Amino acid sequence: GAQVFIQDDEHAWLPAVVLSRTDAKAVVRLAVNPEDLGEAGKAILPEGGAEDFPERTIKLVADGKDGARQRREEEALPLRDDAALTGDGVPDMTSLSYLNEAAILYNLRTRFFGATPYTYTGDICIAVNPYQWLDLYTEAIS
């Protein structure tokens, strides 16, 4: 199935794979073993482990004031590539095949938990405060 991100109330976005799909809904399951994601994965694991992630049904049709309104699938299920799910994430997000809100936030979260606060998007540096002292600098730089 397609590799996507799904919205999550607690974690904003989680990686998933589409198991089945109709015009109105898609059934998805967590796509990666959170234990392989280090600290970022531990933060999303339920108490029972990865097996406790149930299949989720995602509505692809949003209800509007004037009746049902079709929501674009890429809004409900933004596509992802595996690069953001490995190790400490991607240091330069221009290398991501799918650059969307979910991919950006998930990559920044992964890098935050991996103690790598600096992430680039081309020439732009995004720094996420790690709220702890990191041994990133030598005496010469300090």
Side-chain angles (χ1 to χ4, degrees), residues 68-99:
R69 157 179 81 78
Q70 186 70 30
R71 179 165 66 167
R72 292 190 341 220
E73 184 174 355
E74 58 268 18
E75 291 174 357
L77 297 171
L79 293 173
R80 68 171 175 85
D81 50 8
D82 284 333
L85 302 180
T86 58
D88 289 334
V90 176
D92 187 345
M93 290 190 284
T94 59
S95 65
L96 292 173
S97 299
Y98 305 105
L99 191 59

Side-chain angles (χ1 to χ4, degrees), residues 1-84:
Q3 296 180 358
V4 297
F5 285 104
I6 56 172
Q7 284 188 309
D8 183 75
D9 291 338
E10 187 176 346
H11 305 288
W13 296 98
L14 292 174
V17 63
V18 175
L19 300 176
S20 64
R21 175 184 186 285
T22 66
D23 288 340
K25 64 183 179 179
V27 177
V28 298
R29 178 177 288 282
L30 187 70
V32 63
N33 184 351
E35 292 153 348
D36 294 339
L37 298 177
E39 290 301 313
K42 290 177 191 168
I44 64 173
L45 266 178
E47 280 188 32
E51 300 79 32
D52 282 357
F53 273 105
E55 292 179 0
R56 296 187 187 179
T57 300
I58 309 296
K59 286 176 59 173
L60 301 178
V61 177
D63 299 324
K65 288 188 288 188
D66 53 354
R69 157 179 81 78
Q70 186 70 30
R71 179 165 66 167
R72 292 190 341 220
E73 184 174 355
E74 58 268 18
E75 291 174 357
L77 297 171
L79 293 173
R80 68 171 175 85
D81 50 8
D82 284 333

